[in-house]
Amino acid sequence: MDREKIITAAELMDMQFLPRSTVVDGMLPAGCYILAGAPKVGKSFLMAQLCWCVATGTPFLGQPTHRSQVLYLSLEDTGERVQGRLIRMFGVEHPVGRLHLKFETDLRGRDLLAMLEGFFMDHPSVRLVVIDTFQRVREGGGAQYSYQSDYEEIRPFKEFTDIHDVALILVHHTRKNTESENSFDRISGTNGLLGAADGAFLLQKERRTDNAATLDVSGRDLQDQRLYLKRDGERLAWELERRETEPYR
């Protein structure tokens, strides 16, 4: 559609749009998302679990997945560490050719997206990309960010997901202290990050035990949800205990 064209509501209602892909039913449609949480809360384990479940077509936190090719950029871990993590979580007898991994890159922002464009030319059926962490690939320098700079950092990733009909998750951190009643205000940075993204996931430990957490979900095309999770002490995989609200079907 021409960016400068103005249309009537009648013209809009006559248009036909292809449905967007869904990666996890009720939780993850195509789009650009932020997963935020404190250090060592279990974000990387949760993302490894998501990638594995989508690549194998097995349920994720109780929700059906749509099996597809997956790209996981684990930029703060080594191959050895991720191998050990996957073995501990899923065992050694399940090789997954649909899960593609990358552990190092010096590319940032639009340069990184150019690399992803090349990857998608060879793997057009990829429907999930996870970048862990966003800080490793953002273009802006220095510790101070404005709403505009944060918005402009996310926007190219959002445009990429619209073009390729893919879900892309940027793993990010939370602030230690905030007086806001909105839990998503704990995401490090300004509201420009969420302003440009399609939604966010917030992983927080429950005070009652080290192996319990909540996962808050919010987005443009998502029902607001809170999931109560527990972590298997042996496998270190996250399991669903209960939901506050059942997702739409």
Side-chain angles (χ1 to χ4, degrees), residues 43-70:
K43 301 186 297 297
S44 294
F45 276 88
L46 185 66
M47 289 297 94
Q49 185 173 341
L50 170 65
C51 291
W52 184 278
C53 288
V54 173
T56 58
T58 54
F60 174 70
L61 301 180
Q63 292 299 109
T65 63
H66 295 259
R67 188 173 66 175
S68 71
Q69 302 273 330
V70 177

Side-chain angles (χ1 to χ4, degrees), residues 27-111:
M27 286 186 66
L28 188 59
C32 178
Y33 302 92
I34 296 169
L35 167 71
K40 307 300 187 291
V41 73
K43 301 186 297 297
S44 294
F45 276 88
L46 185 66
M47 289 297 94
Q49 185 173 341
L50 170 65
C51 291
W52 184 278
C53 288
V54 173
T56 58
T58 54
F60 174 70
L61 301 180
Q63 292 299 109
T65 63
H66 295 259
R67 188 173 66 175
S68 71
Q69 302 273 330
V70 177
L71 175 60
Y72 182 24
L73 280 68
S74 182
L75 303 178
E76 293 192 339
D77 285 312
T78 63
E80 179 183 11
R81 183 177 296 162
V82 173
Q83 181 194 68
R85 184 176 296 163
L86 293 176
I87 289 174
R88 184 165 185 176
M89 295 174 76
F90 303 107
V92 297
E93 298 179 357
H94 305 283
V96 179
R98 294 183 184 88
L99 176 52
H100 305 268
L101 302 161
K102 184 171 180 58
F103 302 105
E104 296 180 5
T105 184
D106 293 323
L107 301 175
R108 293 175 177 269
R110 294 184 184 275
D111 290 335

Side-chain angles (χ1 to χ4, degrees), residues 190-202:
T190 72
N191 289 333
L193 297 177
L194 284 182
D198 289 298
F201 301 84
L202 183 63

